[in-house]
Amino acid sequence: MRVLFVSLFIVIADQLSKYFIKGGTIPLINLHVTGMSYGESINVIGDFFKLTFVENPGIAFGIDVDGVSKLLLSLFTLLASIGVFYYLWRSKEQKLIIRLALACILGGAIGNLIDRTFYGLFYGYAPLFYGKVVDFFNMDFFDFTIFGKTYDRFPIFNIADSSVTIGVALLLIFHRTTAVETKERESETIDTTLNNNLIISEESKEINNSEIKNSSLSEDDKSNVENYKREEIQN
């Protein structure tokens, strides 16, 4: 399952980027990163693309959840990650592009799951499963409204979000094509099987007729055998 290395790479890249954005100290290796102040922005490509440090306590597009809903969201993400991993493991015969798409979704889901599960404990602001997701990619696109909220810039996101989006897009593009190709292969297999069975039946009929002609049976017995064979074929 070499595609799992893609998931691993996404998780590592996602967590490293969040660590350098948010900052913190890792005691085991005595590594300390100051990070950015909350809400701070750094222009990368003018005003179009910035690095802006924010934290998302809920789900996509800044939709907030709290209390039991927050716990359920974290647990659902955990179960969904397990489900994607299991499906990926069972899809060894699928096309590479499909497995890569699933690997992207899995890596992104795990990346954000780590935030929700452990960041509250690691940074000391919330219990297990109540952490916030670190976002920092800030891009200026067309204005749009979703869930009753209007955005003048695209919602700030991270590497994990991008990975999930790319994975879903690949599935939407290629999964239908793969399904059609599989159906066509199954149809060709059925046609081939029917043709082979027909050939075998014809060969068997010729052999039986030859055996009847070469046998020492009387003409009446041969006629009866031929009639019996004919009835079997018709039935």
Side-chain angles (χ1 to χ4, degrees), residues 70-196:
K70 175 70 175 179
L71 175 61
L72 292 177
L73 173 63
S74 298
L75 294 177
F76 173 78
T77 306
L78 174 61
L79 293 176
S81 300
I82 295 173
V84 173
F85 175 81
Y86 176 75
Y87 185 75
L88 180 59
W89 183 262
R90 291 292 302 273
S91 302
K92 297 178 182 179
E93 303 303 320
Q94 287 277 8
K95 278 189 170 183
L96 177 61
I97 190 66
I98 300 298
R99 288 183 284 126
L100 283 175
L102 292 171
C104 287
I105 294 173
L106 179 62
I110 293 176
N112 282 337
L113 177 63
I114 292 174
D115 294 31
R116 293 192 179 101
T117 304
F118 300 110
Y119 274 27
L121 287 177
F122 183 78
Y123 290 100
Y125 64 81
L128 192 69
F129 293 119
Y130 284 85
K132 300 176 183 178
V133 176
V134 174
D135 292 327
F136 50 90
F137 288 141
N138 185 359
M139 304 189 73
D140 186 17
F141 285 109
F142 53 86
D143 297 353
F144 66 98
T145 302
I146 186 169
F147 300 122
K149 187 175 182 180
T150 300
Y151 297 85
D152 56 357
R153 296 181 68 89
F154 196 80
I156 301 174
F157 58 100
N158 55 44
I159 291 177
D161 297 332
S162 302
S163 177
V164 172
T165 302
I166 292 171
V168 171
L170 290 176
L171 282 182
L172 291 175
I173 295 170
F174 292 101
H175 188 269
R176 179 178 176 81
T177 302
T178 302
V180 171
E181 291 177 352
T182 301
K183 187 175 181 179
E184 290 176 349
R185 285 197 299 268
E186 290 176 351
S187 179
E188 291 175 357
T189 301
I190 292 174
D191 291 341
T192 302
T193 302
L194 291 175
N195 290 334
N196 290 338

